[in-house]
Amino acid sequence: MAIYQINKGINKPIEFKGLKAQYIGYLAGGLVMLLVVFAATYIMGIPVSICLIIIAALGILLFYQVFKLSHRYGEHGLMKMAAKRYLPNHLKFSSRKIFLRLKR
């Protein structure tokens, strides 16, 4: 009889250094945007030292925000929070028919 190893990571979210699921993509997209901002500031003629200071500050802010969101909301929490905005505050009914049908 053959002995097979069991993969214990099935159906678990992707995790990298504490970042979960879509936050890895957000961080990657943010880093690409920082690269574009650096290129734009360099082409505009701003000195490299100032460009690096600006990009370093924005990079630190990006990492802080993404890790904060990942730890606060988890894998699906950010999507749930965004979906909550579309829920109505209250429901308005013009008749009692719907409630009377519930009794039956």
Side-chain angles (χ1 to χ4, degrees):
M1 186 167 133
I3 298 174
Y4 297 102
Q5 290 181 344
I6 298 173
N7 184 359
K8 302 272 185 176
I10 295 175
N11 291 333
K12 287 190 178 179
I14 297 172
E15 187 171 342
F16 178 74
K17 304 263 186 190
L19 289 178
K20 296 176 184 146
Q22 74 269 19
Y23 301 103
I24 298 169
Y26 295 158
L27 184 62
L31 291 174
V32 169
M33 290 302 297
L34 285 177
L35 180 65
V36 170
V37 169
F38 176 77
T41 55
Y42 182 75
I43 290 172
M44 286 191 290
I46 297 174
V48 176
S49 58
I50 295 175
C51 291
L52 288 176
I53 292 171
I54 292 170
I55 296 303
L58 290 175
I60 290 169
L61 182 66
L62 172 71
F63 270 82
Y64 175 74
Q65 283 297 109
V66 170
F67 273 92
K68 180 179 157 187
L69 288 174
S70 178
H71 290 295
R72 182 173 182 186
Y73 293 111
E75 183 183 358
H76 300 294
L78 190 61
M79 290 184 284
K80 289 179 182 178
M81 186 193 71
K84 192 180 275 190
R85 292 186 304 174
Y86 296 105
L87 289 175
N89 292 331
H90 59 278
L91 299 175
K92 184 176 180 182
F93 296 100
S94 58
S95 71
R96 299 180 341 167
K97 287 182 184 178
I98 191 166
F99 296 109
L100 293 176
R101 279 191 247 149
L102 290 175
K103 263 188 158 178
R104 292 183 215 161

